[in-house]
Each structure stands twice: as structure tokens, then as C-alpha cells.
Amino acid sequence: MSATDDLHTDDPAGSLTLPATATRDHDPDELYADFEAWVSGQGLQLYPAQDEAILELVTGANVVLATPTGSGKSLVAVAAHYFALARGVRSVYTAPIKALVSEKFFALCGVFGSANVGMMTGDAAVNADAPVLCCTAEVLANIALRTGRDSDLAVVVIDEFHYYADPDRGWAWQVPLLELTRAQFLLMSATLGDTTDLAADLGRRTGRETTTVAGAERPVPLHHYYETTPLHETVADLVAGGQAPIYVVHFTQAAALEHAQALTSINVASRAERDVIAETIAGFRFTAGFGKVLNRLVRHGIGVHHAGMLPKYRRLVEQLAQAGLLKVICGTDTLGVGINVPIRTVVFAALSKFDGERQRQLQVREFHQIAGRAGRAGFDTAGTVVVQAPEHEVENAKLVAKAGDDAKKLRRIVRKKPPEGFVSWGRNTHDRLLSSQPEALTARFAVTPAMVLNVIARPGNAFAAMRDLIRTNHTTATQQREQVREAIRAYRALLAAGVVERLAEPDEQGRVVRLTADLPLNFALNQPLSTFALAALDLLDPESDSYALDVVSVYEATLEDPRQVVRAQQNLARGEAVAQLKAEGVEYEERMELLADVTHPMPLQELLTGAFAVYRQTHPWLSEDDLRPKAVVRDMWERAMTFTEYVAFYGLSRSEGLVLRYLTDAYRALRSSVPEPAVTEGVTDIVEWLGALVRQVDSSLLDEWEALTAGTGAGREDVVEVRRPASLSENVRAFTVLVRNTMFRRVELFALRRLDQLADLDPDVDWVAALEGYFAEYPRVGTGPDARNPRLLQVTTEPGRWRVRQILDDPDGDHDWAISAEIDLAASDEAGEPVVLVTAVGPL
């Protein structure tokens, strides 16, 4: 078997034995021989391109590795780390996304042992001083800015190096090349284009020979086709022809799901295959909404994969695909960033995409990056890439075929036109993308106050260092002049704020300007407003009924906006405002003016923005846009909704993965950042509730974070494993809060007289009689802080069940009406949320 991207590191016997003594004097020939022997011991054989790159690395040269996907670049990276370890120097691996960094971290732990490998992603750090460090590109860039040529990182492996040209993030791929001039570099990507100038510049800066290894034959050749049959027919033909697993690439999440559902009309999997799938997923818990849709799809042998899904669903699809149980996966172009899904055939549903600003044709690099995922070395003798023609072209082809050889019918054909706004692409586009080399990488660089601070924080003349960083980077002279102006503006703002000070004479470390306070080690790596949140807590009143939720709002304001949630909240608020304004008889033009001021909920906005304006005077590198008051956790709590109810309420089923990531980030922030004096019983209740909610939806994000912060980490399995979260009812405090919320949800609906929703929750309860009886005695039901008082929820615990009574907050304070219910603990553990059976609604 050849040495592919699969390192087989899940096998403990595959660990690499390091030399007994790490020394810079190790003979290159001996190191190469030892590594080659280890590769052979894995039953692998080096490809020529791998062999060439490894020989260059062991002799100390920089290597630009521009070989196709599946050609074993990961194994070359392992060699680089091995040579560094053997010589007693540190190495670093970096990639564009946290998931890929995490995946490589676990893989390298399997090769070198967990004691030798560390990770920093900004969310958490484990064994950060280890001799092999895995980190995101931005983390490495900030380390490089802080340490410069004095960095202890001697070997730098940068994966997916084509991100060097990314408009927003490319600076992070360029900075290490500029600053770590004593390091040896391995730059890797399947789609680099012409790197002649880049390699020459890298060699000049580091004083090392720099070799480009490119043009290698793809281990698994690709066959390309352009199809004018309807997409479902194309997929059906590929399945029938034995070309599965098939990944159908769409450029929106909605299109991926829509096509997956359409494919259920054809027999993708046999009856026997569907039975195996059903048996495999029998213990997996699918929640309502998208979970039910995915459950039906995978039972047909069809998967969906995109960033909006819950991690547990994406992992399930990957595991089922790895086990050979899924024939078709419909997903987005995140496929191009190295997700671990075995694919024989890639089908492009289109050759255009929306890039955040406009609809455009795919770049050559994008096309080849995605197409390169087809064909699995060691499994497939060839891969297949199919580009599906646009729908109007497919329709025209059908009309031509129907007309046959009849010249009259051919002349009468009224050809379909592309839809309005269509970005033209077709067979010629396909041919051009296929035959062209990836575009040359365009250098990206940006000066920010954070960059200036990092440079000032290191020893030496910061002015000279910043000047060199700007004048010698890879951007144009015009861009560099603007960067100089940005650097001057940033420095003056920092000086005026008293964050830095100019020295009359250089200090003992050669500084002519220095920080007035130590820069935090995690500066620009974690949430930049964490210290602001601590300061803002002093502005809150601990005696206030809303104190616990106000603490939540402080920390929510420091988190990135979950845009889909915020947009949905704003749409709901505007819809409600329109209805109210219409009822009040407000004219259309005035309504439109008033609606411009309606936005999503922003608790404590005035308090926080005022405090932040003061805070920025001593932290001028922060933008006024960095503070983002919002309410997602608070909104969910106040609405007393479960995760499933919240997602359904705002129509977020395609984005539930984003909702979960936000809730996980909020839980991490609240759990790890709220100081002990600020933690009240109410705050603890919310944190426990949020943690239990996240774990029951999908525990994988929290499990990994907690393992990392504890300095441990579990390996990854390549077989389908049904992982169940811990028993919900075991955490009595969190479960009590969940019960309280689900009971209070009924109180709110009761107060609003929402008979239909109450009937959905408890169809066997006579809610009509209950509403008539209560409102005959009292005009309203309280739903404020007094109504949520824990004292109004009475709980009696019995083996296997709880009996609960939620007392209603009537305006007279009689507290003589209640909703009584039983909670089945076993059923709740199974469902991941309290299973409530309302037994009575009425006077006590």
C-alpha cells in the first residue's frame, strides 16, 4: 500500500520510536533511514514526491509541497515533525480551521505520544509548551509577531497554504514567512499555482535552499465528465454504475438538503443495505426538526453534510460513509477543506457560488480543491468528477433529444433561457477550469492595532521591526504605503491612551517603546472583551431580580453574533411591530420609518455601550463594533424553551449547528470567566441549565473542550459509534431547572391563552375548562420574576419519577391554582429533555 493521507495512527503499534537522545548532530541519512523503516513497518511505501520532499527536509531545506490531494502530504508533515523531535527542536503544524487542527493533534498524538504534542486554537490550550504544537494560522501569526526571529519554533508546517491568498485571513499565512526567518518551512497545498517568486523569497529570508515539489502524478487518476441529464438521473446512473460513494456539491445548505430529499424517490440503497443502516443507527437519538429529516434520509442511504448541522449529525454521516453504508452525500463546498469522508465520485451541482459579496464562477483553485477529493488511494483505482449542466441547458438538451433528426421540429424548438441573474457557465467553463492551472497566489496583508501591540511586546526596536514587516512583505508598494499610515494611526492611538510609552533611551532589551502593562499571553487569541466583561459586572446590582440574566447579557455581548439567530429575532420583532402599527392605523410611510429602529433584543445596551466607550479609551485597539449586545441564551431562558422548541420557533432547522456552537461558547464563557464573587444561586442555575441543555443536544463540542482544558484527550474512532450523553436526571440541579422551565412554558402559554399550543404540549388535558375556570376568578396570570420564583415549583421525588406542581402567580397572591404533572425520569433520560405528563390544572 502507498503512503497516503491516511496515517493509520489509530493503531498504537504505529507510533514512531524517537532517538534515545535528541541532538542537532543526528546524521540526516540515519534519520531518513529510521523514518523510512517506520513507514515500511506500517505496510506503506513512499511515493516519489514524498520521498523527494522528505529527503529535502532531512537536509534542512524549505519545501513547497504542491502535490495533488491524496498524494500523502500529511506523511511528509509527520517526517518534518520527527526530524525536529530527533534534533531536539520545536515544530509547529498549522491549518485554517479548528476542526482540522484538532484532527491533526489527535493523529500526531498517536504517532509521537500525547506528552510530545500540544494544541492551541484560541478556545483552549493543552500542553502548549510541547515540542510539537498544533495551532490555527492566526495563533501562529500572533506567536510570530510576538517573538520574531527569536522564536523557538524551528520547523513550521503550514497546511492548506492556498489560504495565503484569502482576502480576510491571508495575513496570518504570510506573517510567519516574514518573521520566523530562522525556521525551516514546509508549505503544503494541492492548489498553489506558480510559487516561483514565493519560494525564492522564502529562501532569501531564511538562508536555506528552498525546493518546490510539484507536478506529481495523482495516485488515483480522475475521470472528468460534463452531464446534461437531470441531476437525479445523473446520480442514479452513477450509483447503478458502481461509482458510489458520491458527494454532490452544492453551494447553499438549502440546495443540499432539497436535493437530498429529492433523491429519496430513487432506490439509492438496496433493501439489505437499508436494513444494515437501520440496525447501525438503532441507538442513535435524532431530535425533532432536522434530526427527523436526516433520520429518514440516512435510512435511504443518503447523507447531508454542511456547517449548519449539529456536530453529532455530521459525525454520524461521516461514520456511516466510512463504513460504506451511504451511497450519496449532499453537502456544501466545505468538502474542500479536508473533511474525513471517503468519496469515489464528486458531482458539482453548479460552477458558480455566492462568495459573500456577489455570485461568481468558481475559481480554478476552488474547482480543483473540491474535485481532488474524489478517489480514495488504497480503495479506488480511479475517481470520477462530474459537472452537472445548468437546468436550462438540461431542458434544452431534452428538447433537442425529443426532436431527434426532424429538421422542422429542431427549428421550432423554443430554447429555455437562463433565469434572471444567472451567472453564465457551461461546458466551456468546465473545460477551462479543467485545463487551467490554479491562479497565482495574491499576497494579503493588513496592519491592525493588535499587530502593532504584538510587535511592541517583543524585545528590540519596535519601529524598525514594524518598518521591516511592512516594507518587506509581499504586497504592492501602494498597499505598503497605506499600511504605514495604518501603523502610524494605531501607534498614536495606543500612545494617547497610555497603553504604550516612548522611552528616552533604549532599555536593556533594546526597546525604544514599551507597553505600560504586560500584554496577556492569550492576547488576540481568545475573546478580546473578556476583561471588559469582568469590569462590567461591577455595574450590575446583585440584589436585582434580573441580576443572573444580566450577567448572561454581559457575556453574550462579548461573543460573536450568531447571524442567522439575530436575523430571525429581528424579523420576528419587525413582524410583530408591523401588526401593532397596522392595528393602530399608522400609515405605510411612517411604519417603514419606525421599522428601521426595530432590531433584535439587546438587553443592557445603553449601560454596556456607555461602559464600553470608557473602556476603549484605554484599549484603543478595540472597535466600537466589537461589543455586540444580544440575547440568545437569555431569550431561550425567558421563553422557557428547549433547544428543539427554540430552533422551531425561529425557523432555524438548517442552522441548528450554529445555534449549538453559540450556546456552547456562551456556556464556556460563563463557566470559566464569571468570578466567584459574582456567582449567585441564580447564575449557577443558568449555567447548570445551559450545560445540561448543550450536552443533551450534542455533547461533542463540550466533551472536547473539557478534555483539552483538563489536559487530556480521547482518540477518534473510524467506526460507527453511537455515543450517548450522560444521564440527564443525574445532575439534579440542572434537571430541576429544566423541569422548572418546561412547566413555566405552560404558565406563559396559559397566561397568553394559547389554547392551540397548550393542546400540542398536552393533548389529553381539558385546557378550555381550565382557562375558563381560572379567568373567571382572576383577570390575568403573572409571568414576571415573581412568577418564576423557585418557591412556586413544588417537587416530590419518587423512585423513577418526580411529581411536580407549578403554582400560578395570580394578582391577588392567593396562589391557589396550579398545574400538576409527573416527570418520567427514564423517559426523560432517553429523550434528552423532561418528559412531562400533566395530570391536573385547577384550584388546589
Side-chain angles (χ1 to χ4, degrees):
M1 184 184 294
S2 296
T4 69
D5 280 342
D6 183 359
L7 299 181
H8 305 285
T9 52
D10 55 324
D11 180 2
S15 59
L16 238 173
T17 303
L18 298 172
T21 304
T23 169
R24 296 174 189 268
D25 298 327
H26 273 297
D27 181 70
D29 291 337
E30 291 180 2
L31 289 179
Y32 174 81
D34 289 345
F35 186 77
E36 186 180 39
W38 174 76
V39 171
S40 298
Q42 307 301 300
L44 306 176
Q45 181 180 354
L46 293 174
Y47 294 129
Q50 289 177 310
D51 198 36
E52 180 184 355
I54 291 170
L55 282 169
E56 294 291 345
L57 288 170
V58 78
T59 58
N62 298 318
V63 174
V64 179
L65 187 58
T67 55
T69 301
S71 59
K73 290 185 287 293
S74 293
L75 192 62
V76 177
V78 171
H81 294 304
Y82 172 67
F83 299 150
L85 279 167
R87 290 169 172 153
V89 297
R90 292 192 81 197
S91 61
V92 61
Y93 168 89
T94 187
I97 58 175
K98 296 174 185 176
L100 191 53
V101 171
S102 177
E103 180 180 305
K104 296 300 181 184
F105 166 74
F106 287 112
L108 292 174
C109 283
V111 178
F112 300 117
S114 58
N116 287 317
V117 186
M119 179 166 71
M120 294 176 67
T121 64
D123 289 336
V126 55
N127 202 15
D129 295 325
V132 178
L133 176 65
C134 300
C135 65
T136 50
E138 282 79 5
V139 170
L140 176 60
N142 282 294
I143 292 173
L145 288 168
R146 188 82 66 90
T147 57
R149 63 183 285 108
D150 295 326
S151 171
D152 65 348
L153 297 176
V155 177
V156 178
V157 179
I158 305 183
D159 206 352
E160 306 289 349
F161 187 73
H162 54 274
Y163 271 79
Y164 169 92
D166 185 272
D168 297 320
R169 303 179 63 199
W171 69 272
W173 273 257
Q174 185 178 167
V175 162
L177 310 185
L178 306 177
E179 292 292 304
L180 303 179
T181 54
R182 293 180 177 175
Q184 177 188 18
F185 283 88
L186 170 60
L187 312 179
M188 306 189 300
S189 173
T191 54
L192 287 181
D194 184 3
T195 59
T196 304
D197 292 342
L198 179 70
D201 181 77
L202 184 59
R204 179 182 58 79
R205 289 177 186 274
T206 61
R208 297 173 183 268
E209 181 181 344
T210 300
T211 302
T212 298
V213 179
E217 282 192 24
R218 199 176 190 277
V220 179
L222 296 181
H223 301 309
H224 291 263
Y225 303 93
Y226 184 83
E227 293 292 345
T228 57
T229 54
L231 182 55
H232 68 280
E233 291 183 19
T234 301
V235 173
D237 290 344
L238 289 167
V239 172
Q243 297 303 306
I246 301 164
Y247 196 105
V248 186
V249 182
H250 302 79
F251 293 98
T252 67
Q253 296 174 5
L257 180 58
E258 181 181 342
H259 181 230
Q261 291 175 307
L263 287 176
T264 57
S265 62
I266 63 177
N267 290 324
V268 169
S270 67
R271 177 73 264 174
E273 289 168 331
R274 294 198 296 271
D275 288 344
V276 174
I277 294 171
E279 182 181 350
T280 303
I281 66 173
F284 190 88
R285 191 174 73 212
F286 293 92
T287 53
F290 178 77
K292 289 185 176 180
V293 174
L294 183 64
N295 185 9
R296 182 171 64 87
L297 290 173
V298 297
R299 290 176 185 273
H300 279 82
I302 301 166
V304 180
H305 196 286
H306 60 69
M309 295 166 58
L310 294 178
K312 69 176 182 181
Y313 292 152
R314 290 203 307 274
R315 181 64 177 151
L316 176 68
V317 169
E318 292 169 11
Q319 290 173 328
L320 291 172
Q322 288 160 358
L325 298 177
L326 294 184
K327 296 297 184 67
V328 181
I329 303 171
C330 297
T332 56
D333 57 336
T334 52
L335 167 75
V337 193
I339 64 169
N340 187 22
V341 175
I343 299 161
R344 179 170 295 169
T345 301
V346 168
V347 176
F348 285 82
L351 291 179
S352 65
K353 65 180 288 187
F354 182 72
D355 63 5
E357 296 181 0
R358 61 188 178 90
Q359 194 78 18
R360 60 166 175 79
Q361 289 184 357
L362 294 185
Q363 297 173 350
V364 177
R365 173 171 292 107
E366 292 169 327
F367 176 78
H368 286 287
Q369 194 72 28
I370 298 169
R373 306 304 299 181
R376 301 164 296 172
F379 295 92
D380 301 322
T381 57
T384 301
V385 180
V386 176
V387 171
Q388 182 67 30
E391 288 186 13
H392 66 277
E393 190 176 325
V394 172
E395 290 296 321
N396 290 334
K398 288 169 63 177
L399 292 173
V400 170
K402 186 176 181 180
D405 296 330
D406 191 322
K408 290 184 179 180
K409 289 182 178 180
L410 287 171
R411 284 196 299 270
R412 290 198 204 100
I413 291 176
V414 179
R415 296 183 181 273
K416 300 283 186 181
K417 294 182 179 180
E420 187 176 350
F422 177 76
V423 173
S424 179
W425 58 270
R427 189 181 295 274
N428 290 339
T429 313
H430 166 260
D431 295 343
R432 175 182 61 80
L433 291 172
L434 183 58
S435 61
S436 300
Q437 291 297 312
E439 299 84 359
L441 296 173
T442 302
R444 306 290 182 174
F445 194 82
V447 173
T448 64
M451 178 182 287
V452 174
L453 273 175
N454 272 316
V455 172
I456 292 174
R458 74 191 194 199
N461 188 325
F463 295 112
M466 199 70 212
R467 182 170 56 248
D468 289 345
L469 188 60
I470 293 174
R471 290 183 177 177
T472 67
N473 70 50
H474 302 158
T475 56
T476 66
T478 300
Q479 292 171 320
Q480 290 173 2
R481 284 192 291 272
E482 178 56 33
Q483 292 160 15
V484 169
R485 287 190 284 270
E486 286 293 335
I488 293 172
R489 283 193 288 267
Y491 169 69
R492 287 175 175 170
L494 295 169
L495 194 64
V499 177
V500 301
E501 61 182 0
R502 183 71 182 266
L503 303 178
E505 296 289 338
D507 66 10
E508 65 279 2
Q509 293 184 307
R511 291 187 177 94
V512 293
V513 60
R514 68 181 178 192
L515 302 176
T516 55
D518 290 336
L519 198 61
L521 179 62
N522 63 352
F523 176 75
L525 306 184
N526 296 320
Q527 288 293 338
L529 299 188
S530 56
T531 53
F532 167 75
L534 290 174
L537 290 178
D538 292 337
L539 303 176
L540 305 181
D541 178 9
E543 302 301 320
S544 169
D545 291 335
S546 65
Y547 174 76
L549 288 173
D550 289 344
V551 170
V552 171
S553 293
V554 167
Y555 282 90
E556 284 204 79
T558 68
L559 301 175
E560 288 287 333
D561 284 350
R563 286 176 294 179
Q564 288 90 330
V565 184
V566 168
R567 190 182 306 121
Q569 289 177 328
Q570 180 170 288
N571 290 340
L572 177 66
R574 288 183 173 178
E576 292 173 344
V578 166
Q580 181 177 347
L581 291 172
K582 281 184 176 180
E584 295 173 356
V586 178
E587 295 297 329
Y588 176 79
E589 290 78 9
E590 186 178 352
R591 286 205 308 267
M592 293 301 100
E593 291 180 9
L594 293 172
L595 283 179
D597 297 327
V598 177
T599 185
H600 58 89
M602 291 191 283
L604 307 183
Q605 181 187 18
E606 186 174 343
L607 173 73
L608 292 175
T609 52
F612 189 58
V614 175
Y615 185 79
R616 286 183 62 227
Q617 293 176 11
T618 53
H619 299 74
W621 58 86
L622 295 173
S623 164
E624 61 183 16
D625 296 329
D626 288 337
L627 187 75
R628 301 178 175 91
K630 56 187 163 294
V632 178
V633 175
R634 183 170 186 156
D635 187 35
M636 186 179 289
W637 174 275
E638 290 180 329
R639 293 183 185 277
M641 287 183 171
T642 65
F643 181 87
T644 303
E645 290 171 338
Y646 196 77
V647 166
F649 181 74
Y650 283 112
L652 297 167
S653 61
R654 286 204 306 270
S655 303
E656 59 183 5
L658 176 140
V659 180
L660 181 70
R661 282 193 293 275
Y662 177 85
L663 296 178
T664 303
D665 288 344
Y667 172 72
R668 291 171 179 170
L670 290 167
R671 178 181 158 182
S672 61
S673 302
V674 180
E676 190 62 34
V679 177
T680 63
E681 287 289 314
V683 171
T684 301
D685 280 348
I686 292 177
V687 174
E688 290 290 324
W689 159 78
L690 185 57
L693 182 146
V694 168
R695 283 190 178 88
Q696 293 305 310
V697 173
D698 187 339
S699 65
S700 57
L701 294 175
L702 277 185
D703 288 345
E704 183 169 295
W705 174 67
E706 290 173 347
L708 291 177
T709 54
T712 62
R716 302 299 179 88
E717 297 80 12
D718 290 327
V719 295
V720 177
E721 176 195 8
V722 178
R723 297 180 61 190
R724 304 194 64 79
S727 173
L728 178 64
S729 59
E730 285 180 8
N731 185 336
V732 175
R733 181 166 198 155
F735 188 63
T736 301
V737 175
L738 290 168
V739 169
R740 186 192 309 159
N741 282 353
T742 196
M743 293 300 292
F744 194 74
R745 176 71 177 149
R746 289 162 169 80
V747 172
E748 289 187 313
L749 295 174
F750 193 92
L752 295 170
R753 309 189 195 200
R754 297 284 172 80
L755 185 60
D756 54 339
Q757 295 182 51
L758 287 168
D760 287 341
L761 288 173
D762 307 290
D764 296 330
V765 175
D766 189 351
W767 287 106
V768 174
L771 286 166
E772 290 176 351
Y774 177 87
F775 286 107
E777 292 187 41
Y778 301 108
R780 65 184 181 276
V781 179
T783 57
D786 290 339
R788 296 196 68 133
N789 193 308
R791 290 193 297 272
L792 295 186
L793 180 71
Q794 300 173 352
V795 178
T796 303
T797 61
E798 299 177 4
R801 68 176 177 179
W802 286 7
R803 294 183 184 275
V804 298
R805 176 182 288 167
Q806 176 65 60
I807 298 173
L808 302 185
D809 183 31
D810 60 84
D812 295 341
D814 295 334
H815 294 162
D816 57 353
W817 271 70
I819 302 173
S820 300
E822 293 183 359
I823 313 295
D824 186 321
L825 300 188
S828 299
D829 291 339
E830 177 67 23
E833 58 186 47
V835 174
V836 177
L837 174 64
V838 174
T839 56
V841 182
L844 299 177

